[in-house]
Amino acid sequence: MANLTIIIPARNDEFDIAETVSKIIDTVTVDYEILIVNDHSTDKTRDIANGLVDKYRKTAIKVIDSLMAPSFVNALMSGVTCAKTTFFIPVMADLCDTPETINLMYSKISEGYDIVVGSRYSGSGRRMG
């Protein structure tokens, strides 16, 4: 069983979700599951996400619909409620977060930190674009 749930709130991210999931699969080395939370998308986000479940059969990917009002926070809460692991890390569906940091964040969790927060606005973080 996975130790970490990577929660991806997604709303109208049909052009980004496949690349985001692919990048996570290519870079994250810890034992994880991916939970894509469809946040009332009106495009093909949900269909594409379901296709990723079939494409990456060896990776634990689940797609759920947020039943709360549309918002990032509500989609994230839906994901946390459905996560089956003790630890979770949210990742934006448009790749504005860098999945490469997930391994480092999880290593800090494994060291015993209660909360690990990644931010491009602190320390050596930066905003690009």
Side-chain angles (χ1 to χ4, degrees), residues 30-88:
V30 301
D31 189 20
Y32 65 92
E33 65 179 2
I34 295 174
L35 182 57
I36 301 170
V37 182
N38 179 43
D39 186 25
H40 304 271
S41 294
T42 57
D43 64 0
K44 296 179 182 174
T45 298
R46 190 177 208 303
D47 295 335
I48 293 168
N50 284 328
L52 296 171
V53 173
D54 294 333
K55 180 178 180 178
Y56 298 108
R57 292 185 187 273
K58 293 183 180 180
T59 303
I61 301 175
K62 184 175 181 183
V63 180
I64 64 165
D65 290 314
S66 177
L67 301 177
M68 295 187 259
S71 78
F72 172 77
V73 171
N74 286 342
L76 185 57
M77 286 174 43
S78 293
V80 170
T81 301
C82 291
K84 298 198 182 325
T85 62
T86 304
F87 305 108
F88 67 90

Side-chain angles (χ1 to χ4, degrees), residues 3 5 10 21 29 45 51 54 57 80 88 100 103 108 110 112 117 120 122 126-127:
N3 298 321
T5 301
V21 169
T29 58
T45 298
D54 294 333
R57 292 185 187 273
V80 170
F88 67 90
E100 295 86 356
N103 296 318
K108 294 299 181 186
S110 298
V117 178
R120 60 183 162 232
S122 64
R126 66 187 182 283
R127 181 175 179 195

Side-chain angles (χ1 to χ4, degrees), residues 2-14:
N3 298 321
L4 173 70
T5 301
I6 299 170
I7 301 172
I8 307 174
R11 181 167 188 194
N12 296 333
D13 286 299
E14 69 180 323

Side-chain angles (χ1 to χ4, degrees), residues 6 24-32 99-100 102-104 106:
I6 299 170
I24 289 169
I25 290 170
D26 289 344
T27 59
V28 178
T29 58
V30 301
D31 189 20
Y32 65 92
E100 295 86 356
I102 293 172
N103 296 318
L104 176 60
Y106 188 75

